[in-house]
Amino acid sequence: MKILITGGNGNLAGALVKKLESSYQLQALAHHDLDITVQEEVVKKISTFKPHFVINTAAITDVDGCENQIKKALDVNGLGPNYLAKACRENDSILVHFSTEMIFDGLKTTPYVETDCPNPLLAYGLTKYIGEQNIKKTGCKYTILRTSWLFGGGVPKFVNNFISKANQAHSIKVVKNQTGSPTYIYDIAAAIDLYLQEPKLGIYHLANSGEASRLDMAQFIKKELSLDCELVPVFYQDLGIKTYRPAHAALDSLYKKKHPFLQLRPWQEALREYLGLTE
Ligand SMILES: NC(=O)c1ccc[n+]([C@@H]2O[C@H](COP(=O)([O-])OP(=O)(O)OC[C@H]3O[C@@H](n4cnc5c(N)ncnc54)[C@H](OP(=O)(O)O)[C@@H]3O)[C@@H](O)[C@H]2O)c1
């Protein structure tokens, strides 16, 4: 089975390649190999390789960056998926596209499920939502997987940043007024492996189970790693973050019982594994 992965140098793509490369004929194309905003390139790569699946991880994921460069965000997050979807339709490939919890406004106090109505309040979420709509309009075969708060892979994001700060500073400010579903990239990769054996079209929420604030995550890491630091709960606004952040952005799926690939373990178990704490 042939799989083409876009955004091949990205964090999630790295986990997908590691998990899938021994079982599938994989072509992971980094940004310099395939720019998804150039339609001719998209058509050429897909019509030449003729993959059974195209997994699109390419995106502008910098939330504040999207606010400042909305045209670029729209091109990559909105238009690129449209080009991919059209090429998939022409070549009878299934498009597996990653989307985000940020398509929701964060005002709901329980986790968002697939039937909740999107209402993005930031450029990142808006452009990702446009990407979803653009895929649906083409009539291609697609699976849109919304996920949230990815960790793993050693990138300097929340988990790794927190650990390095904890090793240097005595007291650390951590945001308490934002919740999400922390999700391990290798759990997503394992879910995709399962999905490929029995693909399900449509829109699904794919995240580790449970929800957490950044403060909950920090407290968990502090305890598990016995870190000697003081946590100071703050609002994200106190850290100089000017753009709005959804207060509640956790995800859950209505289809977990029906589709095993959506059954991800609790985030705490996944994070323990990432921290190297499992036997
Ligand atoms: N990270 C999260 O917490 C999170 C949460 C929810 C959903 N998601 C979604 O999950 C997916 C993967 O996220 P990630 O964290 O792995 O992202 P990432 O590490 O930022 O990787 C995205 C990749 O896309 C590439 N890219 C940017 N513009 C491109 C273009 N025009 N054509 C082709 N490639 C391009 C980037 O390459 P360059 O850097 O070389 O430009 C980068 O390698 C994204 O769709 C994201 O929206 C992520």
Side-chain angles (χ1 to χ4, degrees):
M1 194 188 289
K2 291 194 280 185
I3 300 173
L4 187 149
I5 298 178
T6 63
N9 278 351
N11 197 35
L12 177 58
L16 290 170
V17 169
K18 270 194 192 148
K19 179 70 189 172
L20 305 177
E21 66 187 347
S22 58
S23 318
Y24 303 92
Q25 198 180 331
L26 220 59
Q27 205 175 81
L29 301 176
H31 189 169
H32 57 262
D33 297 320
L34 171 63
D35 181 340
I36 65 163
T37 67
V38 182
Q39 191 166 17
E40 308 85 73
E41 273 189 43
V42 169
V43 168
K44 194 171 160 200
K45 294 288 182 195
I46 293 180
S47 60
T48 309
F49 186 48
K50 294 209 177 302
H52 298 90
F53 294 89
V54 172
I55 304 181
N56 181 35
T57 71
I60 303 290
T61 55
D62 171 6
V63 174
D64 293 321
C66 287
E67 293 297 310
N68 302 329
Q69 22 176 7
I70 193 146
K71 164 83 172 74
K72 188 176 172 195
L74 196 55
D75 282 349
V76 181
N77 297 344
L79 201 57
N82 181 251
Y83 295 155
L84 291 167
K86 284 181 180 157
C88 283
R89 186 188 60 204
E90 298 314 312
N91 291 279
D92 203 27
S93 310
I94 295 179
L95 177 60
V96 179
H97 171 78
F98 280 94
S99 190
T100 168
E101 84 285 359
M102 302 267 298
I103 64 153
F104 296 112
D105 55 23
L107 301 175
K108 197 182 169 204
T109 50
T110 52
Y112 284 93
V113 293
E114 289 88 347
T115 48
D116 284 321
C117 192
N119 181 30
L121 298 179
L122 286 170
Y124 172 59
L126 177 64
T127 56
K128 291 291 290 185
Y129 184 50
I130 291 170
E132 290 189 10
Q133 298 297 312
N134 279 344
I135 290 169
K136 286 162 80 175
K137 270 191 261 172
T138 62
C140 78
K141 290 186 207 153
Y142 67 84
T143 301
I144 291 172
L145 298 171
R146 297 177 183 146
T147 190
S148 145
W149 288 22
L150 298 183
F151 67 87
V155 289
K157 293 220 172 150
F158 180 78
V159 174
N160 296 314
N161 288 344
F162 172 72
I163 294 170
S164 44
K165 271 190 212 160
N167 286 324
Q168 289 160 22
H170 179 63
S171 99
I172 304 169
K173 293 178 182 166
V174 191
V175 174
K176 63 179 176 182
N177 62 335
Q178 245 193 304
T179 57
S181 297
T183 298
Y184 188 31
I185 53 172
Y186 286 98
D187 283 0
I188 294 205
I192 292 294
D193 195 18
L194 205 57
Y195 161 92
L196 291 169
Q197 291 158 40
E198 208 180 328
K200 300 289 171 201
L201 303 184
I203 297 184
Y204 299 102
H205 290 181
L206 180 64
N208 279 118
S209 64
E211 53 185 295
S213 65
R214 292 301 190 194
L215 184 61
D216 295 329
M217 290 179 78
Q219 281 165 339
F220 182 82
I221 297 168
K222 179 184 161 177
K223 182 164 170 279
E224 293 294 322
L225 295 181
S226 306
L227 297 172
D228 182 22
C229 60
E230 184 202 353
L231 302 182
V232 183
V234 294
F235 294 100
Y236 70 79
Q237 296 87 340
D238 298 331
L239 296 182
I241 298 170
K242 292 197 177 69
T243 42
Y244 169 84
R245 291 290 191 273
H248 302 279
L251 299 177
D252 199 0
S253 176
L254 295 172
Y255 308 103
K256 273 183 177 167
K257 282 200 181 127
K258 215 164 150 196
H259 304 322
F261 79 97
L262 297 171
Q263 295 162 12
L264 269 55
R265 61 187 161 166
W267 65 265
Q268 294 93 333
E269 271 179 43
L271 186 49
R272 287 192 94 246
E273 181 177 312
Y274 179 54
L275 297 175
L277 297 169
T278 44
E279 286 108 57

